[in-house]
């Protein structure tokens, strides 16, 4: 009888301990001062918005700034970092944000960047996070001739962070980045052996894309910028582009040497509805020999290779462009040879020069 009573008491104790373990949640025993279950909102970044879709955050992004706003639009947190810490594949921000729903805006690449300026680093609202291209005023034009350091934008909205008091509550938000800076290489090649010089031409790209809003949209009030080359080089080409040039009969192959000039420019974000023009002026008489809507030509080269991308996604994923034109012995555009855009041959009609 006594043994049976002890067994009943032991069973009651076992049930009580099991109940206590269940009620304590993240703790294994009952304490008067229970430790809360861990709760954390973590922010990470990704940059694979490229044509090859390879992850390149650690390689290309050298500084990050990110801001969080609550659903009332109020600024609640900011994180910033730069340097080698970004190369760590486990790089992240562990924020102090509690339960709630948040919008995140990131601008990356602003540190030690003389080409772009952020309106404020202490915004009251996300609408204040505007970025402006730094330009100069020259002879009545707004100009830029810089070789841009890379600028990236990222955004993630309606991120919900819930806290469970009886279980770990870890919310990880990964912000995808878009590269907003582009390099354009423009090459002119002769077709008949005529020597070219970089000073024979003036090359410009005009576009109103110098003000970027918090959501990465090009702002309507952006002034038109005249982009000019940061590099002009002479070279020689033996590629098979265009018609064969005359030779003196001593050549032992079908790849005659052609005189070339190369102009390189950096420009801000390209948009599908952008009214952007490439102009090439012959300096001997000031005549504009080429005047084309270059963004439209870039999209013509998109072709079926990237038809699974929208036009805007294609422009955002690609950050390096090239355009090759042929000129004759009078330094005029030899249209019969066509145009090579990003290495692909096109023969579209030209817009009449202004």
């Amino acid at each position: 009888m006594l043994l049976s009573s002890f067994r009943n008491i032991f069973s009651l104790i076992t049930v009580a301990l099991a109940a206590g373990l269940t009620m304590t949640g993240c703790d294994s025993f009952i304490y008067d001062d229970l430790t809360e279950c861990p709760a954390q909102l973590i922010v990470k970044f990704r940059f694979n918005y490229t044509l090859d879709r390879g992850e390149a955050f650690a390689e290309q992004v050298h500084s990050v700034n990110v801001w969080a706003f609550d659903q009332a639009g109020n600024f609640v947190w900011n994180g910033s970092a730069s340097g080698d810490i970004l190369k760590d594949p486990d790089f992240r921000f562990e924020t102090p944000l509690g339960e709630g729903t948040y919008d995140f805006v990131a601008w990356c690449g602003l540190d030690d960047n003389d080409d772009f300026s952020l309106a404020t680093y202490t915004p009251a609202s996300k609408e204040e996070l505007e970025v402006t291209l730094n330009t100069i005023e020259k002879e009545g034009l707004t100009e830029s001739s810089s070789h841009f350091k890379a600028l990236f934008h990222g955004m993630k909205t309606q991120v919900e962070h819930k806290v469970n008091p009886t279980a770990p509550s870890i919310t990880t938000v990964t912000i995808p980045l878009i590269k907003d800076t582009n390099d354009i290489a423009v090459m002119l090649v002769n077709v008949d052996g005529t020597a070219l010089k970089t000073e024979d031409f003036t090359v410009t790209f005009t576009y109103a894309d110098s003000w970027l809003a918090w959501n990465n949209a090009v702002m309507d009030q952006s002034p038109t910028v005249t982009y000019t080359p940061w590099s002009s080089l002479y070279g020689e080409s033996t590629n098979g582009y265009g018609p064969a040039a005359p030779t003196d009969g001593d050549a032992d192959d079908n790849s005659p040497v052609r005189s070339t000039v190369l102009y390189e420019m950096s420009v801000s974000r390209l948009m599908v509805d952008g009214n952007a023009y490439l102009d090439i002026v012959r300096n001997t008489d000031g005549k504009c020999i080429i005047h084309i809507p270059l963004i439209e030509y870039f999209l013509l080269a998109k072709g079926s290779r990237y038809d699974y991308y929208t036009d805007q996604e294609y422009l955002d994923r690609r950050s390096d462009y090239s355009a090759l034109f042929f000129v004759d012995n009078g330094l005029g555009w030899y249209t019969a040879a066509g145009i090579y855009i990003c290495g692909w041959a096109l023969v579209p009609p030209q817009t009449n020069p202004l």
Side-chain angles (χ1 to χ4, degrees):
M1 184 70 176
L2 182 61
L3 180 59
S4 177
S5 297
F6 276 122
R7 286 174 176 169
N8 291 337
I9 292 172
F10 181 76
S11 298
L12 290 173
I13 292 173
T14 301
V15 171
L17 285 174
L21 289 173
T22 301
M23 293 174 62
T24 56
C26 291
D27 289 286
S28 299
F29 300 98
I30 301 176
Y31 298 101
D32 291 333
D33 54 341
L34 294 178
T35 302
E36 293 184 0
C37 290
Q40 190 81 63
L41 197 163
I42 295 170
V43 175
K44 301 180 73 173
F45 299 88
R46 179 178 68 242
F47 176 54
N48 64 353
Y49 210 73
T50 57
L51 292 180
D52 63 12
R53 304 189 187 192
E55 176 56 51
F57 176 83
E59 177 185 355
Q60 295 198 31
V61 182
H62 305 300
S63 68
V64 298
N65 285 274
V66 57
W67 297 262
F69 303 86
D70 63 21
Q71 290 307 284
N74 301 311
F75 164 73
V76 291
W77 173 80
N78 166 240
S80 62
S82 61
D84 289 341
I85 190 174
L86 303 186
K87 299 183 183 300
D88 185 341
D90 198 40
F91 169 73
R92 66 185 65 196
F93 288 114
E94 297 182 354
T95 78
L97 298 172
E99 184 170 274
T101 302
Y102 302 97
D103 294 339
F104 293 88
V105 177
W107 285 107
C108 303
L110 286 170
D111 284 17
D112 299 321
N113 192 334
D114 296 330
D115 302 313
F116 295 90
S117 296
L118 183 68
T120 177
Y121 284 85
T122 56
S125 67
K126 57 179 175 283
E127 286 76 16
E128 295 181 11
L129 291 174
E130 300 173 358
V131 166
T132 304
L133 171 66
N134 298 325
T135 57
I136 61 172
E137 299 298 320
K138 184 178 179 181
E139 298 179 356
L141 298 176
T142 300
E143 290 193 2
S144 172
S145 59
S146 295
H147 185 192
F148 294 163
K149 293 182 178 179
L151 176 72
F152 302 85
H153 174 269
M155 183 172 64
K156 198 82 169 182
T157 60
Q158 298 293 302
V159 175
E160 189 174 9
H161 176 47
K162 290 185 176 181
V163 176
N164 185 343
T166 63
S169 306
I170 308 299
T171 301
T172 299
V173 52
T174 300
I175 301 177
L177 301 180
I178 292 176
K179 189 175 182 180
D180 281 341
T181 46
N182 305 274
D183 289 324
I184 299 176
V186 178
M187 178 178 283
L188 302 179
V189 183
N190 69 18
V191 293
D192 64 355
T194 301
L196 301 177
K197 300 185 294 293
T198 57
E199 57 267 29
D200 287 337
F201 307 95
T202 295
V203 178
T204 58
F205 178 78
T206 55
Y207 189 28
D209 65 342
S210 59
W211 293 359
L212 300 175
W214 69 274
N215 60 358
N216 210 27
V218 174
M219 301 179 68
D220 292 338
Q221 58 268 46
S222 291
T224 298
V225 178
T226 299
Y227 293 98
T228 57
W230 50 263
S231 173
S232 302
L233 298 172
Y234 170 81
E236 293 181 344
S237 171
T238 57
N239 62 47
Y241 294 150
T247 66
D248 58 8
D250 296 329
D252 57 3
D253 58 40
N254 293 320
S255 299
V257 174
R258 304 176 192 272
S259 174
T260 68
V261 285
L262 175 68
Y263 305 89
E264 297 177 281
M265 299 178 287
S266 293
V267 304
S268 186
R269 191 183 184 199
L270 303 177
M271 306 294 291
V272 293
D273 56 353
N275 187 26
Y277 279 87
L278 174 73
D279 289 282
I280 300 180
V281 173
R282 182 173 56 208
N283 290 334
T284 54
D285 57 4
K287 181 181 179 180
C288 182
I289 62 170
I290 297 175
H291 174 72
I292 61 171
L294 194 54
I295 293 177
E296 294 180 20
Y297 279 44
F298 288 156
L299 292 175
L300 287 174
K302 171 190 169 187
S304 60
R305 291 164 296 155
Y306 301 108
D307 58 1
Y308 41 84
Y309 294 139
T310 67
D311 286 351
Q312 186 58 55
E313 186 175 359
Y314 172 77
L315 292 175
D316 285 333
R317 284 181 177 273
R318 177 158 213 150
S319 60
D320 61 315
Y321 299 87
S322 63
L324 183 150
F325 305 88
F326 294 90
V327 295
D328 55 28
N329 60 0
L331 302 184
W333 184 14
Y334 189 75
T335 57
I339 310 171
Y340 287 80
I341 300 293
C342 301
W344 290 80
L346 303 172
V347 191
Q350 183 196 186
T351 303
N352 291 331
L354 295 177

